[in-house]
PDB file of all heavy atoms in Angstrom:
ATOM      1  N   PRO H 123     -57.709 -91.074  70.238  1.00  0.00           N
ATOM      2  CA  PRO H 123     -56.752 -90.209  69.543  1.00  0.00           C
ATOM      3  C   PRO H 123     -56.522 -88.886  70.273  1.00  0.00           C
ATOM      4  O   PRO H 123     -55.382 -88.417  70.361  1.00  0.00           O
ATOM      5  CB  PRO H 123     -57.398 -89.992  68.176  1.00  0.00           C
ATOM      6  CG  PRO H 123     -58.266 -91.188  67.981  1.00  0.00           C
ATOM      7  CD  PRO H 123     -58.779 -91.540  69.348  1.00  0.00           C
ATOM      8  N   VAL H 124     -57.582 -88.300  70.812  1.00  0.00           N
ATOM      9  CA  VAL H 124     -57.439 -87.016  71.500  1.00  0.00           C
ATOM     10  C   VAL H 124     -56.544 -87.166  72.728  1.00  0.00           C
ATOM     11  O   VAL H 124     -55.649 -86.350  72.968  1.00  0.00           O
ATOM     12  CB  VAL H 124     -58.824 -86.447  71.885  1.00  0.00           C
ATOM     13  CG1 VAL H 124     -58.704 -85.267  72.818  1.00  0.00           C
ATOM     14  CG2 VAL H 124     -59.590 -86.069  70.642  1.00  0.00           C
ATOM     15  N   ARG H 125     -56.762 -88.192  73.507  1.00  0.00           N
ATOM     16  CA  ARG H 125     -55.957 -88.415  74.712  1.00  0.00           C
ATOM     17  C   ARG H 125     -54.495 -88.635  74.341  1.00  0.00           C
ATOM     18  O   ARG H 125     -53.581 -88.127  74.995  1.00  0.00           O
ATOM     19  CB  ARG H 125     -56.513 -89.615  75.472  1.00  0.00           C
ATOM     20  CG  ARG H 125     -55.763 -90.025  76.701  1.00  0.00           C
ATOM     21  CD  ARG H 125     -55.877 -89.072  77.886  1.00  0.00           C
ATOM     22  NE  ARG H 125     -57.214 -88.868  78.355  1.00  0.00           N
ATOM     23  CZ  ARG H 125     -57.802 -89.541  79.325  1.00  0.00           C
ATOM     24  NH1 ARG H 125     -57.147 -90.506  79.943  1.00  0.00           N
ATOM     25  NH2 ARG H 125     -59.020 -89.251  79.696  1.00  0.00           N
ATOM     26  N   ASN H 126     -54.245 -89.405  73.279  1.00  0.00           N
ATOM     27  CA  ASN H 126     -52.865 -89.676  72.882  1.00  0.00           C
ATOM     28  C   ASN H 126     -52.200 -88.478  72.224  1.00  0.00           C
ATOM     29  O   ASN H 126     -50.990 -88.295  72.349  1.00  0.00           O
ATOM     30  CB  ASN H 126     -52.798 -90.921  71.998  1.00  0.00           C
ATOM     31  CG  ASN H 126     -52.819 -92.169  72.849  1.00  0.00           C
ATOM     32  OD1 ASN H 126     -51.839 -92.506  73.479  1.00  0.00           O
ATOM     33  ND2 ASN H 126     -53.969 -92.829  72.911  1.00  0.00           N
ATOM     34  N   ALA H 127     -52.957 -87.646  71.556  1.00  0.00           N
ATOM     35  CA  ALA H 127     -52.392 -86.409  71.009  1.00  0.00           C
ATOM     36  C   ALA H 127     -51.925 -85.509  72.146  1.00  0.00           C
ATOM     37  O   ALA H 127     -50.822 -84.948  72.112  1.00  0.00           O
ATOM     38  CB  ALA H 127     -53.426 -85.705  70.136  1.00  0.00           C
ATOM     39  N   ALA H 128     -52.756 -85.379  73.175  1.00  0.00           N
ATOM     40  CA  ALA H 128     -52.371 -84.575  74.339  1.00  0.00           C
ATOM     41  C   ALA H 128     -51.143 -85.180  75.019  1.00  0.00           C
ATOM     42  O   ALA H 128     -50.218 -84.456  75.427  1.00  0.00           O
ATOM     43  CB  ALA H 128     -53.543 -84.475  75.310  1.00  0.00           C
ATOM     44  N   ARG H 129     -51.107 -86.494  75.120  1.00  0.00           N
ATOM     45  CA  ARG H 129     -49.962 -87.169  75.746  1.00  0.00           C
ATOM     46  C   ARG H 129     -48.671 -86.869  74.987  1.00  0.00           C
ATOM     47  O   ARG H 129     -47.622 -86.645  75.586  1.00  0.00           O
ATOM     48  CB  ARG H 129     -50.217 -88.673  75.795  1.00  0.00           C
ATOM     49  CG  ARG H 129     -49.091 -89.442  76.440  1.00  0.00           C
ATOM     50  CD  ARG H 129     -49.379 -90.926  76.486  1.00  0.00           C
ATOM     51  NE  ARG H 129     -48.278 -91.632  77.126  1.00  0.00           N
ATOM     52  CZ  ARG H 129     -48.045 -92.911  76.980  1.00  0.00           C
ATOM     53  NH1 ARG H 129     -48.851 -93.657  76.257  1.00  0.00           N
ATOM     54  NH2 ARG H 129     -47.024 -93.471  77.579  1.00  0.00           N
ATOM     55  N   ALA H 130     -48.731 -86.877  73.665  1.00  0.00           N
ATOM     56  CA  ALA H 130     -47.538 -86.601  72.858  1.00  0.00           C
ATOM     57  C   ALA H 130     -46.976 -85.219  73.183  1.00  0.00           C
ATOM     58  O   ALA H 130     -45.757 -85.049  73.323  1.00  0.00           O
ATOM     59  CB  ALA H 130     -47.879 -86.699  71.367  1.00  0.00           C
ATOM     60  N   HIS H 131     -47.860 -84.249  73.322  1.00  0.00           N
ATOM     61  CA  HIS H 131     -47.374 -82.891  73.594  1.00  0.00           C
ATOM     62  C   HIS H 131     -46.880 -82.746  75.033  1.00  0.00           C
ATOM     63  O   HIS H 131     -45.934 -81.998  75.283  1.00  0.00           O
ATOM     64  CB  HIS H 131     -48.441 -81.863  73.219  1.00  0.00           C
ATOM     65  CG  HIS H 131     -48.604 -81.773  71.740  1.00  0.00           C
ATOM     66  ND1 HIS H 131     -47.678 -81.141  70.932  1.00  0.00           N
ATOM     67  CD2 HIS H 131     -49.541 -82.286  70.912  1.00  0.00           C
ATOM     68  CE1 HIS H 131     -48.055 -81.262  69.674  1.00  0.00           C
ATOM     69  NE2 HIS H 131     -49.179 -81.960  69.636  1.00  0.00           N
ATOM     70  N   ARG H 132     -47.470 -83.481  75.961  1.00  0.00           N
ATOM     71  CA  ARG H 132     -46.930 -83.478  77.334  1.00  0.00           C
ATOM     72  C   ARG H 132     -45.539 -84.118  77.352  1.00  0.00           C
ATOM     73  O   ARG H 132     -44.630 -83.642  78.039  1.00  0.00           O
ATOM     74  CB  ARG H 132     -47.867 -84.216  78.293  1.00  0.00           C
ATOM     75  CG  ARG H 132     -49.083 -83.398  78.705  1.00  0.00           C
ATOM     76  CD  ARG H 132     -49.825 -84.020  79.865  1.00  0.00           C
ATOM     77  NE  ARG H 132     -50.280 -85.371  79.611  1.00  0.00           N
ATOM     78  CZ  ARG H 132     -51.417 -85.686  78.983  1.00  0.00           C
ATOM     79  NH1 ARG H 132     -52.233 -84.748  78.567  1.00  0.00           N
ATOM     80  NH2 ARG H 132     -51.740 -86.952  78.785  1.00  0.00           N
ATOM     81  N   MET H 133     -45.358 -85.193  76.591  1.00  0.00           N
ATOM     82  CA  MET H 133     -44.056 -85.849  76.520  1.00  0.00           C
ATOM     83  C   MET H 133     -43.023 -84.927  75.873  1.00  0.00           C
ATOM     84  O   MET H 133     -41.876 -84.851  76.324  1.00  0.00           O
ATOM     85  CB  MET H 133     -44.180 -87.173  75.763  1.00  0.00           C
ATOM     86  CG  MET H 133     -44.940 -88.211  76.565  1.00  0.00           C
ATOM     87  SD  MET H 133     -45.401 -89.793  75.781  1.00  0.00           S
ATOM     88  CE  MET H 133     -44.334 -90.049  74.457  1.00  0.00           C
ATOM     89  N   ALA H 134     -43.424 -84.210  74.833  1.00  0.00           N
ATOM     90  CA  ALA H 134     -42.508 -83.270  74.169  1.00  0.00           C
ATOM     91  C   ALA H 134     -42.134 -82.130  75.108  1.00  0.00           C
ATOM     92  O   ALA H 134     -40.967 -81.707  75.151  1.00  0.00           O
ATOM     93  CB  ALA H 134     -43.146 -82.731  72.890  1.00  0.00           C
ATOM     94  N   ALA H 135     -43.095 -81.623  75.868  1.00  0.00           N
ATOM     95  CA  ALA H 135     -42.795 -80.569  76.840  1.00  0.00           C
ATOM     96  C   ALA H 135     -41.787 -81.075  77.868  1.00  0.00           C
ATOM     97  O   ALA H 135     -40.851 -80.355  78.250  1.00  0.00           O
ATOM     98  CB  ALA H 135     -44.077 -80.102  77.530  1.00  0.00           C
ATOM     99  N   ALA H 136     -41.954 -82.315  78.304  1.00  0.00           N
ATOM    100  CA  ALA H 136     -41.025 -82.895  79.276  1.00  0.00           C
ATOM    101  C   ALA H 136     -39.613 -82.987  78.691  1.00  0.00           C
ATOM    102  O   ALA H 136     -38.634 -82.654  79.377  1.00  0.00           O
ATOM    103  CB  ALA H 136     -41.519 -84.272  79.718  1.00  0.00           C
ATOM    104  N   ILE H 137     -39.496 -83.395  77.442  1.00  0.00           N
ATOM    105  CA  ILE H 137     -38.183 -83.474  76.794  1.00  0.00           C
ATOM    106  C   ILE H 137     -37.549 -82.086  76.749  1.00  0.00           C
ATOM    107  O   ILE H 137     -36.373 -81.923  77.053  1.00  0.00           O
ATOM    108  CB  ILE H 137     -38.299 -84.080  75.380  1.00  0.00           C
ATOM    109  CG1 ILE H 137     -38.656 -85.566  75.473  1.00  0.00           C
ATOM    110  CG2 ILE H 137     -37.003 -83.882  74.586  1.00  0.00           C
ATOM    111  CD1 ILE H 137     -39.036 -86.205  74.149  1.00  0.00           C
ATOM    112  N   CYS H 138     -38.336 -81.077  76.390  1.00  0.00           N
ATOM    113  CA  CYS H 138     -37.817 -79.703  76.337  1.00  0.00           C
ATOM    114  C   CYS H 138     -37.318 -79.238  77.703  1.00  0.00           C
ATOM    115  O   CYS H 138     -36.396 -78.433  77.792  1.00  0.00           O
ATOM    116  CB  CYS H 138     -38.895 -78.746  75.834  1.00  0.00           C
ATOM    117  SG  CYS H 138     -39.302 -78.941  74.091  1.00  0.00           S
ATOM    118  N   ARG H 139     -37.934 -79.737  78.748  1.00  0.00           N
ATOM    119  CA  ARG H 139     -37.554 -79.324  80.106  1.00  0.00           C
ATOM    120  C   ARG H 139     -36.493 -80.236  80.731  1.00  0.00           C
ATOM    121  O   ARG H 139     -36.154 -80.094  81.896  1.00  0.00           O
ATOM    122  CB  ARG H 139     -38.792 -79.294  80.987  1.00  0.00           C
ATOM    123  CG  ARG H 139     -39.730 -78.179  80.587  1.00  0.00           C
ATOM    124  CD  ARG H 139     -40.881 -78.006  81.556  1.00  0.00           C
ATOM    125  NE  ARG H 139     -41.635 -76.838  81.201  1.00  0.00           N
ATOM    126  CZ  ARG H 139     -42.875 -76.853  80.717  1.00  0.00           C
ATOM    127  NH1 ARG H 139     -43.509 -78.006  80.555  1.00  0.00           N
ATOM    128  NH2 ARG H 139     -43.483 -75.721  80.413  1.00  0.00           N
ATOM    129  N   GLY H 140     -35.992 -81.195  79.957  1.00  0.00           N
ATOM    130  CA  GLY H 140     -34.926 -82.059  80.447  1.00  0.00           C
ATOM    131  C   GLY H 140     -35.396 -83.277  81.212  1.00  0.00           C
ATOM    132  O   GLY H 140     -34.590 -83.984  81.808  1.00  0.00           O
TER     133      GLY H 140
END
Side-chain angles (χ1 to χ4, degrees):
V124 169
R125 177 71 60 93
N126 279 286
R129 181 179 181 200
H131 289 285
R132 282 192 302 276
M133 290 172 23
I137 290 170
C138 290
R139 291 188 173 111

